Amino acid sequence: MPQFTAGEFEVMQLLWEHGAMKPAEIQAVFPCEIKNAALRSVLAILVEKDHVTRRQVGKAFVYSAKTRRQRAFRTMIADLADQFCEGSTRTLLFNLVKSEKLSDDDIAELKRLAKDTSTSQKRKKKS
C-alpha cells in the first residue's frame, strides 16, 4: 500500500470520519483552506492509488474511503518499524513506551492489555 502524503491523509481522515462526501463537502470541513483544483487533484490521486472510490450522483461525484482506517494504521506502523527499528514492531513499541511519561493508570492498562493478548494467543495455539 503506497504511503499517504500529508494532504492525502487529511482527505482520508475526513472520509473515514464523515463517510461518503462530495468535493464541496470535503472542502467545507477541510482543516485549512484548500483550493478546489488542489482538492480534486488529491482525490484523483487517491482514486488512482485505489484508496478511494467515486461514483457519480447527478452532476457531482461522491467519494468514499476504500482503504480502511485500521489497515492504513497497520501499514504506517509497519513503515515506522521498517524505517527506525529494522522492521521490528516490538522494538518500536518498546521505544514508544520508553519515550513516554506514563501514569500509573497507563502502566496498569498496558499490563492488562499484555495479559489479555497473552491469554488470547495461548487459546489460539490450543485450537
Side-chain angles (χ1 to χ4, degrees):
M1 171 190 311
Q3 290 185 350
F4 297 114
T5 65
E8 291 168 359
F9 189 67
E10 286 179 317
V11 170
M12 290 301 296
Q13 287 182 302
L14 292 172
L15 293 173
W16 288 324
E17 184 179 333
H18 298 282
M21 299 172 76
K22 296 176 183 175
E25 295 168 330
I26 296 170
Q27 200 169 10
V29 294
F30 206 76
C32 59
E33 187 176 331
I34 185 169
K35 298 214 182 276
N36 188 295
L39 176 59
R40 288 182 187 277
S41 176
V42 170
L43 287 166
I45 291 166
L46 287 169
V47 168
E48 183 179 313
K49 288 182 174 181
D50 207 29
H51 291 299
V52 168
T53 60
R54 74 177 191 177
R55 61 181 166 74
Q56 193 162 1
V57 177
K59 293 183 179 182
F61 283 103
V62 176
Y63 293 84
S64 301
K66 184 174 180 182
T67 299
R68 294 191 173 162
R69 184 189 304 250
Q70 189 62 31
R71 181 171 180 228
F73 177 75
R74 283 192 310 266
T75 300
M76 290 178 150
I77 293 297
D79 289 346
L80 277 173
D82 287 342
Q83 292 171 10
F84 296 101
C85 302
E86 298 176 358
S88 171
T89 53
R90 180 177 182 214
T91 302
L92 176 63
L93 176 62
F94 290 161
N95 282 315
L96 288 171
V97 169
K98 280 193 253 179
S99 70
E100 288 296 313
K101 294 184 183 203
L102 300 174
S103 68
D104 289 342
D105 288 344
D106 293 335
I107 293 169
E109 179 66 15
L110 282 171
K111 285 179 180 178
R112 185 196 62 74
L113 181 62
K115 184 179 180 190
D116 289 350
T117 302
S118 175
T119 302
S120 174
Q121 288 175 347
K122 286 178 185 176
R123 285 184 192 143
K124 285 181 183 178
K125 286 182 181 178
K126 288 181 181 179
S127 299

